[in-house]
Structure formats: structure tokens, C-alpha cells
Amino acid sequence: SSEGRESHSSNQQLKKMSPSPNGNIEMESARAVNEKAKSRLLDHPNVNVSHHPILSHKTSVLRSVTTDAPTFRRTLRSITFHLGYEATSVLLTKPVPITIPSRPDDVVQDVGYRLTERICLIPILRSGLGMVEPLLELLPVSSTDVKVCLLQ
């Protein structure tokens, strides 16, 4: 197909020079370099790769050349909430007493939970900056408890 030829053609244009074990310089496609990096990353115990169909769909929207800026921002925001829930699923909480309404003139004492860990958000590149605001909305802590670190 023409799509296959286009990706092959663009793949041929993106090459990386790297020394081989025997000392010769070999050309390696950017795709192969990317696959090696992914493989090393996926072996890390702190990496969780989501294969959720909705995230796959939304990631495709982000990557498409036909996606306009407003759609990109909306989709990135949506993805951020999904990823934020996954990334924060292991945070520690502590029980706290709460009062909940049960009837118009009655309340009940119960137990709720509050996060015990402090969180630092470090955005990377432009998409990372677009993920900060939705993550700050997601995290149920006051702004004084969240440190937003911007590194260049």
C-alpha cells in the first residue's frame, strides 16, 4: 500500500549512527532505536503501560496530523485524567472522620480517607505542560500541599 511505502520511506530518512560491537559504524533506523528504548523502559518496575481501548483511540487522535489545536488540548486533558487515576492508584491514604448528611435534619458520622503523600508534578515538553492543570484538578489536596516543579 502507499501508506506502507510512506512509512518505509520516512523510516529510511531517520537514521542513527551507532558503533557496532566490532567497531564498525552501522545505520540504525529511528524506529528500531525507539523500539529498543521502549523495551528497556517497559522492563522498569515503575512503568505501567495501559492498553485500554479508549486511551489507544485518544492517543491516535493526539498523534494525527489532522488534529487541530483545540481538539488536541481537549483530548490531552481527557487522557490526563485517565492516566492520573492510574498513576495515583498506589498513593497512601489515612482514615479521617467525616460527617455526611442522611436526612434533611440529620447527619451521620463516618470514615473517609485523605492522601498522606506529597506530590510533585514535573511536566516534560509541551504536552507535559498541558497535563499539569488537569492533574492539579484531579489531586484532592490543597495547593499548598502540591509542589509544581518546572524544569527546563
Side-chain angles (χ1 to χ4, degrees), residues 1-117:
S1 77
S2 66
E3 182 178 302
R5 282 193 299 273
E6 286 173 346
S7 68
H8 178 72
S9 171
S10 63
N11 196 23
Q12 291 298 329
Q13 294 172 1
L14 300 171
K15 297 286 188 178
K16 180 180 179 183
M17 302 288 281
S18 60
S20 67
N22 63 8
N24 294 333
I25 300 293
E26 296 178 352
M27 300 292 280
E28 193 171 11
S29 72
R31 184 176 306 253
V33 170
N34 190 27
E35 289 302 318
K36 283 182 183 178
K38 265 195 228 176
S39 175
R40 283 193 305 270
L41 184 63
L42 295 179
D43 289 338
H44 196 281
N46 291 334
V47 173
N48 179 20
V49 178
S50 176
H51 298 287
H52 196 287
I54 292 174
L55 288 178
S56 295
H57 164 77
K58 289 180 181 271
T59 302
S60 296
V61 171
L62 284 185
R63 296 176 66 210
S64 175
V65 70
T66 62
T67 301
D68 61 9
T71 302
F72 182 91
R73 285 190 294 274
R74 277 192 312 274
T75 305
L76 179 62
R77 180 178 181 77
S78 174
I79 285 174
T80 300
F81 280 111
H82 292 287
L83 294 177
Y85 283 116
E86 288 295 322
T88 58
S89 67
V90 296
L91 293 178
L92 300 177
T93 59
K94 68 177 181 179
V96 294
I98 60 171
T99 304
I100 57 175
S102 65
R103 286 178 251 174
D105 294 332
D106 195 18
V107 294
V108 175
Q109 298 300 313
D110 202 356
V111 175
Y113 297 90
R114 180 162 292 139
L115 289 175
T116 60
E117 298 179 82

